[in-house]
Amino acid sequence: MKLQNIPFNITNWEEIPSQRYEGEKGYALWQVQQFDQIRVRMVTYSVNYLADHWCLKGHILFCIDSELSTELKDGRIFTLHAGMSYQVADHAEAHRSFTAKGAKLFIVD
């Protein structure tokens, strides 16, 4: 990730509209800011959310609230609780997320 062409600015996430994306189960609400090649998101997952696809995009993900589990295609499962993060490179390992309780995340990709 190379951060370039991004002047200093502040994001008030309360002012950013959300878009709803349906999962295999539940839904995700995305608030998105695009800065050149970098996408920054605040994502809120509903209770009983399960992603509808295996993702190959790299992310830096920080769990703000509740807990989120991420399954890798090889069957391993990792659970983040509030205050934890994960990092994965583009095309490194296919992954998908799920949560029984719902979760709020900050994601850079």
Side-chain angles (χ1 to χ4, degrees):
M1 172 180 358
K2 185 173 183 178
L3 299 174
Q4 59 186 18
N5 302 319
I6 305 171
F8 182 88
N9 73 47
I10 294 171
T11 301
N12 180 347
W13 290 99
E14 291 180 5
E15 296 176 353
I16 307 299
S18 64
Q19 298 173 330
R20 182 178 169 128
Y21 294 90
E22 298 299 323
E24 187 174 308
K25 296 179 184 174
Y27 62 89
L29 298 176
W30 292 19
Q31 295 168 279
V32 180
Q33 290 286 278
Q34 190 74 39
F35 302 102
D36 197 45
Q37 302 281 331
I38 306 299
R39 178 175 66 175
V40 179
R41 298 180 283 159
M42 192 73 69
V43 178
T44 303
Y45 290 115
S46 71
V47 170
N48 296 320
Y49 174 81
L50 171 62
D52 65 349
H53 66 283
W54 291 96
C55 182
L56 287 170
K57 183 154 184 59
H59 313 283
I60 298 172
L61 183 149
F62 179 76
C63 184
I64 295 171
D65 188 39
S66 197
E67 66 182 35
L68 178 81
S69 295
T70 299
E71 177 184 13
L72 303 186
K73 202 153 194 181
D74 66 11
R76 290 179 291 159
I77 296 175
F78 300 89
T79 300
L80 298 180
H81 301 277
M84 297 173 71
S85 66
Y86 77 65
Q87 301 69 228
V88 64
D90 289 334
H91 305 285
E93 298 180 83
H95 53 279
R96 68 178 177 176
S97 296
F98 62 94
T99 177
K101 299 178 181 180
K104 186 169 187 175
L105 312 171
F106 182 79
I107 305 171
V108 179
D109 49 27

